[in-house]
């Protein structure tokens, strides 16, 4: 379980088949490229946003190529618009296939959300209603992605601020159906669970227990910002701009009790601190994983 | 209209009502919650533009820049999830944006910054080796017939304003003092090139620009040099060639006998 394990050259698809080790990772930021290469931190994995590396050449590929030689990698897409009304963008799917082929990541994930409509890319993870028609569409898109990329997708639960009058299923029932029909895996974003459950007045523990936990392959942790809605009730915003909050660490501990150790990413996209600050958060996740791994295993809870 | 079309329009249109059919657990007005999405979309796009056009922002100040970027992003949202080169239409928009009209060179500075972004992400290409170049230079007759491929990152901007000097002044420790030395109304041509992992900007002469343009269009070295001289009697071929060699801009050559890269 050292970072050096993944320095072994990988045959096509081997990394994906093996998956990430049960360790902490952080998002790879250009600000940290050089420090990472100079210090070779002992870290479980790095994660990149796929779209940032869909460029022809230059420093991003140069640094990622060198960092990839020493570290495990998760590629996280933010632009596929799996929840979109429009058909998937095939050019974008090809760009993804090319990127995955080039870097052979241990993990590939995307979101239960939409981001494109018509010709416009809106650059946010937008919410969708949960009913039979949207379920069919999302499952069709997940199938198409998995067939095109010839690998399992990890689908991430969203952070949302509104709900829809025409939803006829809960989010967890919707996700459970997607997993059953498509065979995709889950990326359980514990911060998103906390944010959405506060925003929609639900119990985050019930939410997590209702997910098909056997499909979870990775966890995300992040920081949020706090606002209020029109009634003055708390409205949390998934900002990725702050350290992981204590409430989210607590929910993470609860999740580890159910799942056992799980590859865990510290996400930070705004107000990016020095690398050691992020590394320390990943190490805290690892200490909690060790504690959970040492505990008496509990039954895994399926929905 | 489809649900996502309505949602999308409500995100991008100033003053639009929030889409119908949204609910909240406490029956609060969903408008306030929908505003989080509206804000995420527009702020992330403005931030992307601010990252790509830092000198443009310094020239007009953050408040003006963000207000201008907001109008642009609403009218021209990205057409692809790949945002690296978002803002290709921004310089043209600035040129036609009446509140920015008093800063005539602003659009060209933005054009230069877009070239920098494109150069940063451009395809990699190995530069011709020193030995190969020395051999080519040793045979003047053959050199005249050579056709060179230039780095994919290479770009040029001909401006009626001192774009390269303005940009350079904004990189100086004491920007105000450096700007005092620049006459913005002096016409300049900028050469943008990624050298190693850094994008550099060079001020080049009209003749050099003409020469490089001819090389880019596939003309052989000799005729390209003649065109450079015809365009500008002061054209200094040796120093232009030196700049291209030092910057690693020459990455393949076709002689009448062979192709090497």
């Amino acid at each position: 379980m050292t970072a050096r394990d993944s320095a072994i050259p990988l045959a096509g698809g081997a990394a994906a088949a093996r998956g990430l080790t049960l360790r902490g990772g952080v998002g790879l930021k250009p600000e940290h490229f050089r420090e990472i290469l100079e210090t070779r931190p002992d870290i479980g994995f790095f994660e990149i946003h796929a779209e940032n590396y869909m460029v022809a050449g230059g420093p991003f590929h140069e640094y990622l190529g060198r960092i990839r030689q020493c570290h495990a990698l998760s590629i996280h897409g933010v632009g596929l618009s799996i929840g979109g009304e429009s058909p998937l963008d095939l050019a974008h799917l090809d760009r993804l296939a090319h990127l995955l082929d080039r870097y052979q990541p241990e993990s590939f994930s995307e979101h239960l959300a939409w981001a494109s409509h018509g010709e416009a890319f809106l650059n946010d993870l937008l919410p969708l209603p949960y009913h039979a028609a949207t379920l069919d569409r999302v499952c069709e898109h997940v199938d198409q992605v998995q067939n095109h990329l010839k690998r399992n997708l990890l689908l991430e639960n969203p952070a949302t601020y509104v709900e829809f009058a025409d939803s006829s299923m809960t989010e967890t029932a919707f996700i459970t159906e997607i997993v059953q029909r498509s065979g995709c895996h889950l990326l359980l974003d514990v911060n998103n669970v906390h944010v959405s459950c506060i925003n929609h007045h639900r119990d985050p523990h019930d939410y997590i227990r209702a997910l098909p936990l056997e499909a979870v392959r990775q966890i995300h942790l992040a920081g949020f910002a706090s606002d209020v809605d029109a009634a003055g009730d708390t409205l949390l915003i998934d900002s990725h701009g702050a350290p992981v909050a204590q409430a989210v660490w607590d929910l993470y501990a609860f999740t580890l009790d159910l799942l056992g150790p799980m590859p865990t990413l510290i996400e930070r996209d705004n107000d990016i601190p020095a690398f050691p600050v992020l590394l320390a958060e990943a190490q805290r996740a690892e200490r909690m994983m060790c504690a959970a791994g040492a505990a008496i295993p509990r039954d895994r809870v399926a929905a | 209209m489809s649900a996502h079309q309505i949602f999308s329009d409500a995100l991008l249109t100033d003053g639009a009502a929030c889409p119908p059919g949204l609910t909240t657990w406490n029956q609060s007005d969903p408008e306030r919650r929908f505003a989080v999405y509206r804000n995420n979309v527009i702020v992330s796009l403005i931030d992307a533009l601010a990252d790509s056009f830092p000198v443009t922002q310094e020239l007009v100040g953050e408040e003006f820049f963000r207000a201008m970027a907001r109008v642009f992003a609403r009218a021209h949202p990205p057409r692809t999830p790949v945002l690296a080169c978002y803002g290709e239409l921004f310089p043209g928009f600035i040129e036609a944006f009446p509140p920015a009209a008093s800063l005539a060179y602003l659009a060209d500075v933005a054009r230069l910054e877009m070239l920098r972004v494109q150069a940063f992400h451009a395809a990699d290409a190995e530069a011709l080796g020193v030995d190969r170049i020395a051999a080519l230079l040793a045979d003047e007759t053959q050199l005249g017939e050579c056709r060179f491929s230039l780095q994919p990152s290479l770009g040029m901007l001909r401006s009626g304003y001192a774009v390269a000097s303005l940009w350079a002044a904004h990189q100086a420790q004491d920007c105000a003092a450096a700007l005092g030395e620049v006459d913005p109304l002096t016409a300049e041509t900028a050469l943008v090139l990624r050298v190693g992992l850094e994008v550099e900007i060079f001020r080049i002469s009209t003749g050099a620009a003409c020469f490089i343009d001819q090389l880019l269009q596939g003309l052989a070295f000799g005729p390209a040099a003649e065109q450079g001289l015809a365009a500008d009697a002061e054209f200094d071929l040796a120093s232009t060639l030196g700049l291209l060699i030092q910057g690693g801009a020459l990455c393949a050559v076709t002689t009448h006998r062979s192709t090497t890269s």
Side-chain angles (χ1 to χ4, degrees):
Chain A
M1 279 216 330
T2 71
R4 304 287 176 271
D5 287 351
S6 53
I8 303 158
L10 302 162
R18 197 181 54 213
L20 295 167
T21 54
L22 302 174
R23 293 202 56 189
V26 305
L28 179 62
K29 298 292 154 195
E31 295 90 322
H32 301 147
F33 282 159
R34 284 177 197 199
E35 184 173 350
I36 290 164
L37 284 170
E38 282 160 16
T39 61
R40 296 287 179 95
D42 178 22
I43 189 164
F45 63 104
F46 285 105
E47 183 168 279
I48 60 160
H49 285 179
E51 285 71 14
N52 291 344
Y53 291 81
M54 291 178 178
V55 292
F60 278 32
H61 285 297
E62 169 69 23
Y63 284 113
L64 178 59
R66 286 159 63 186
I67 290 168
R68 176 41 178 151
Q69 286 177 2
C70 315
H71 297 281
L73 182 68
S74 166
I75 293 189
H76 189 52
V78 298
L80 252 187
S81 202
I82 284 174
E85 282 178 357
S86 328
L88 290 182
D89 176 347
L90 294 181
H92 195 60
L93 209 44
D94 281 338
R95 286 193 287 266
L96 261 178
H98 180 73
L99 192 71
L100 295 175
D101 188 49
R102 178 167 180 175
Y103 291 105
Q104 299 285 324
E106 278 78 1
S107 175
F108 169 66
S109 49
E110 250 285 355
H111 297 84
L112 176 57
W114 63 282
S116 296
H117 186 73
E119 303 237 285
F121 173 69
L122 297 160
N123 200 32
D124 194 24
L125 299 164
L126 300 166
L128 57 150
Y130 301 131
H131 53 63
T134 54
L135 180 62
D136 286 347
R137 198 169 66 210
V138 168
C139 287
E140 207 174 289
H141 287 169
V142 170
D143 282 347
Q144 196 184 349
V145 172
Q146 296 193 132
N147 290 335
H148 195 95
L149 302 178
K150 299 183 181 65
R151 61 186 295 155
N152 276 105
L153 160 73
L154 277 62
L155 191 68
E156 178 178 330
N157 57 296
T160 58
Y161 312 111
V162 295
E163 295 185 292
F164 293 86
D166 61 345
S167 281
S168 59
M169 308 167 77
T170 62
E171 188 168 285
T172 50
F174 193 81
I175 289 173
T176 303
E177 280 285 330
I178 298 168
V179 168
Q180 282 174 359
R181 285 210 217 165
S182 72
C184 74
H185 293 149
L186 286 184
L187 193 176
L188 174 52
D189 189 315
V190 172
N191 182 59
N192 287 357
V193 173
H194 178 73
V195 165
S196 290
C197 286
I198 293 286
N199 290 349
H200 307 308
H201 209 54
R202 292 193 291 250
D203 182 329
H205 305 96
D206 288 348
Y207 180 100
I208 289 174
R209 276 191 289 253
L211 287 172
L213 293 176
E214 69 285 351
V216 176
R217 293 293 180 277
Q218 193 190 138
I219 288 175
H220 273 184
L221 300 174
F224 55 78
S226 191
D227 199 351
V228 289
D229 71 4
D233 285 311
T234 302
L235 182 68
L236 298 185
I237 297 167
D238 180 33
S239 65
H240 294 188
V244 178
Q246 187 54 49
V248 174
W249 285 118
D250 292 345
L251 193 57
Y252 177 59
F254 168 82
T255 308
L256 289 177
D257 274 349
L258 297 175
L259 289 175
M262 186 62 62
T264 300
L265 178 85
I266 305 298
E267 281 190 299
R268 190 71 178 261
D269 298 310
N270 293 301
D271 291 328
I272 294 165
F275 181 73
V277 176
L278 293 180
L279 184 61
E281 283 192 293
Q283 287 165 342
R284 178 171 176 185
E286 289 190 343
R287 286 195 299 276
M288 291 171 69
M289 264 189 257
C290 285
I296 300 159
R298 300 192 191 180
D299 287 340
R300 287 194 167 195
V301 180
Chain B
M1 215 186 324
S2 81
H4 284 185
Q5 188 63 56
I6 294 167
F7 205 100
S8 171
D9 288 348
L11 287 170
L12 291 172
T13 313
D14 200 9
C18 89
L22 302 181
T23 61
T24 59
W25 68 273
N26 56 5
Q27 281 76 54
S28 64
D29 183 351
E31 171 61 42
R32 178 74 176 263
R33 287 160 171 261
F34 181 74
V36 175
Y37 293 108
R38 204 177 254 151
N39 188 63
N40 283 351
V41 169
I42 200 72
V43 169
S44 71
L45 296 179
I46 294 171
D47 286 347
L49 292 168
D51 281 350
S52 294
F53 298 94
V55 174
T56 307
Q57 174 165 298
E58 282 179 32
L59 283 168
V60 295
E62 188 177 340
E63 196 183 339
F64 185 97
F65 180 88
R66 294 188 75 85
M68 177 168 72
R70 179 179 295 265
V71 179
F72 171 77
R74 283 200 171 124
H76 304 282
R79 297 298 181 98
T80 157
V82 183
L83 291 187
C85 294
Y86 175 56
E88 275 177 304
L89 301 178
F90 194 43
F93 171 88
I94 291 173
E95 201 157 52
F97 187 63
S102 60
L103 225 56
Y105 50 81
L106 191 66
D108 272 359
V109 171
R111 284 191 179 94
L112 185 62
E113 295 203 285
M114 193 70 232
L115 283 178
R116 288 194 87 250
V117 169
Q118 288 165 341
F120 186 79
H121 294 299
D124 303 308
E126 194 80 36
L128 282 177
V130 179
D131 293 350
R132 178 70 180 136
I133 287 175
L136 290 169
L137 294 179
D139 182 346
E140 238 175 85
T141 326
Q142 185 182 275
L143 179 64
E145 294 168 7
C146 287
R147 292 168 206 277
F148 288 95
S149 298
L150 305 183
Q151 281 289 346
S153 71
L154 185 144
M156 279 195 297
L157 178 67
R158 289 182 174 85
S159 173
Y161 306 101
V163 273
S165 301
L166 285 167
W167 188 88
H170 278 265
Q171 314 309 310
Q173 286 281 343
D174 186 350
C175 174
L179 277 175
E181 308 284 305
V182 179
D183 172 11
L185 298 180
T186 307
E188 284 185 358
T189 299
L191 173 74
V192 179
L193 182 66
R194 196 175 73 226
V195 182
L197 295 177
E198 304 285 337
V199 177
E200 297 193 17
I201 294 178
F202 306 93
R203 210 172 62 204
I204 59 172
S205 69
T206 318
C210 174
F211 168 67
I212 293 169
D213 241 352
Q214 299 303 322
L215 292 183
L216 285 169
Q217 285 170 35
L219 211 66
F221 185 91
E226 282 165 25
Q227 296 263 352
L229 207 54
D232 173 7
E234 310 278 286
F235 171 49
D236 182 348
L237 175 63
S239 75
T240 304
L241 188 58
L243 173 66
L244 293 177
I245 292 170
Q246 280 194 331
L250 307 176
C251 46
V253 61
T254 312
T255 65
H256 63 280
R257 271 164 283 173
S258 67
T259 303
T260 331
S261 58

